[in-house]
Amino acid sequence: MSSLPPCPQCSSELTYEDGDNFVCPECAHEWPQKAAAGADETRVIRDSNGNVLQDGDTVTVIKDLKIKGSSSVVKVGTKVKNIRLVEGDHDIDCKIDGIGAMSLKSEFVKKV
């Protein structure tokens, strides 16, 4: 019998390996093999000073940040309340007063 995990979306037992991913031939869902092996590992996101960030924290911007596609700038010292942590390169989603919804990198903020 196969020791491969079933598909997390449709529970099909017909999964197969394709490089570093598992693939379900029935629903075409793909997921990384390492996620199945270490599903309990959580990603820790830290600010510029090494403090652990959590959803709902308040942070301050430590560098002027140019906004792509705009002439606006997020100034040093701008306080951002109620952040939300997400996966990806820009790992903080937030709303900044006067600018709107943005994604920030955790390396450019410090926890208040």
Side-chain angles (χ1 to χ4, degrees):
M1 293 303 297
S2 174
S3 64
L4 298 177
C7 176
Q9 281 196 323
C10 70
S11 302
S12 171
E13 297 290 330
L14 303 175
T15 58
Y16 63 91
E17 294 181 62
D18 184 25
D20 291 336
N21 291 332
F22 291 121
V23 179
C24 175
E26 292 185 7
C27 69
H29 178 64
E30 295 184 19
W31 68 100
Q33 288 183 14
K34 73 173 188 169
D40 59 344
E41 294 178 20
T42 57
R43 183 172 168 223
V44 177
I45 298 176
R46 298 182 182 271
D47 69 356
S48 61
N49 294 334
N51 298 319
V52 177
L53 295 174
Q54 297 177 346
D55 286 343
D57 281 346
T58 299
V59 296
T60 302
V61 177
I62 62 167
K63 175 183 176 183
D64 281 348
L65 301 173
K66 294 180 184 177
I67 299 174
K68 190 173 185 180
S70 173
S71 61
S72 301
V73 174
V74 178
K75 297 283 188 177
V76 171
T78 301
K79 191 178 279 190
V80 181
K81 298 178 183 177
N82 199 19
I83 64 170
R84 190 173 61 245
L85 302 178
V86 295
E87 294 293 320
D89 186 33
H90 290 73
D91 42 18
I92 297 174
D93 275 349
C94 60
K95 288 185 181 176
I96 299 176
D97 294 337
I99 296 174
M102 287 196 68
S103 292
L104 300 172
K105 291 186 178 184
S106 59
E107 63 195 65
F108 298 122
V109 300
K110 69 177 180 178
K111 190 173 182 177
V112 174

